[in-house]
Structure formats: C-alpha cells, structure tokens
Amino acid sequence: ERARWEDVVVVGELKDQQKMGDLSPKMVIQISNYVRETFEPQPGRRFVHAFTTYPQPENAMLDIHAVRRRYLQVI
C-alpha cells in the first residue's frame, strides 16, 4: 500500500554520497516541499518535524543498514 500524506507524522530522508553538515539550498527546498505536502491534507496541524540524515562512516558505533527499525525508533 502506498503511503498517504494525511498519515505522515515525521518527514525524514536518508541521503547518500553527501558530507555531514552540507545543507545545500536544493536539499532544504526538497525537504520543505515534503513538509508543505504534509500540511495540505492536515490543515489543523501546526508543525512538522523533519530531518535529513546520511549514512554513518564504516567505523560508526551503529550500523543503520543492519538495524534500520531500531535506527528509526531512535530518531
């Protein structure tokens, strides 16, 4: 089943091939568009939590690909 905007609680995106801290205007506009799409079918909503994250380096303590569900619970 395809997700519907009226069911969205948090807007998030996992990016690859980017450096941490690189907030390009294109990326900010893209996540802003997702947030706008969330407000349209939820007119009573006052705010939306949104985030963009990148894959961890190989020596990171948490491998997000191995424990995806846990990673999303943490966020």
Side-chain angles (χ1 to χ4, degrees), residues 8 11-12 58 66:
V8 172
V11 175
E58 291 181 18

Side-chain angles (χ1 to χ4, degrees), residues 12-50:
E13 186 173 17
L14 175 62
K15 294 276 194 181
D16 58 349
Q17 305 285 330
Q18 292 280 340
K19 295 180 181 175
M20 288 297 287
D22 179 22
L23 289 175
S24 69
K26 184 177 177 181
M27 186 176 68
V28 172
I29 289 170
Q30 182 179 18
I31 200 87
S32 299
N33 286 334
Y34 295 151
V35 169
R36 187 184 73 232
E37 290 289 331
T38 304
F39 278 122
E40 188 175 329
Q42 299 179 27
R45 192 164 184 166
R46 297 178 70 179
F47 62 90
V48 175
H49 293 285

